[in-house]
Amino acid sequence: MKSISAVELHEKIKNGENVHIIDVREDVEVAEGKIPEAKHIPLGDIPNSLDKIDKNKHYYMVCRSGGRSSRACEFLINQGYNVTNMTGGMLAWVGEIE
């Protein structure tokens, strides 16, 4: 499974790269804040939301600490998607970026 750090992903955004981010946290967690460019699809909804995820695009998966996004990556990779896990999740994003 491919991975990227919060700092590396932030650099891509800052440099104007066209990134696709999916935040798999629950609604209450996302209400506390998310990466502005991220699309919110809770982990439990991923299997029924494949029509919202384009197989021709690359996605960065994000959660609170990296565990749920890792599980989402495993599932999506098995479905033929091109995904990368952001290690450390939003804890790393808030700690390093904000």
Side-chain angles (χ1 to χ4, degrees):
M1 177 186 318
K2 295 178 284 189
S3 64
I4 190 169
S5 72
V7 171
E8 291 168 323
L9 183 55
H10 182 255
E11 283 298 314
K12 288 180 176 292
I13 295 167
K14 195 167 74 173
N15 291 335
E17 288 187 41
N18 186 20
V19 297
H20 305 282
I21 304 167
I22 298 176
D23 189 325
V24 299
R25 296 176 298 154
E26 296 300 318
D27 293 340
V28 66
E29 295 171 289
V30 171
E32 296 173 8
K34 70 176 183 64
I35 299 170
E37 294 80 2
K39 176 189 292 191
H40 177 225
I41 306 175
L43 178 62
D45 294 349
I46 293 284
N48 297 321
S49 299
L50 297 180
D51 60 325
K52 298 176 184 172
I53 307 170
D54 186 344
K55 277 193 176 177
N56 297 312
K57 294 181 180 174
H58 173 261
Y59 292 90
Y60 296 97
M61 308 303 290
V62 178
C63 69
R64 181 177 177 269
S65 62
R68 284 174 285 177
S69 55
S70 175
R71 291 198 306 275
C73 283
E74 288 176 13
F75 175 79
L76 290 169
I77 289 167
N78 288 332
Q79 302 300 314
Y81 289 87
N82 182 12
V83 294
T84 299
N85 188 41
M86 187 179 87
T87 56
M90 288 304 291
L91 292 176
W93 183 272
V94 171
E96 307 238 6
I97 310 303
E98 295 183 355

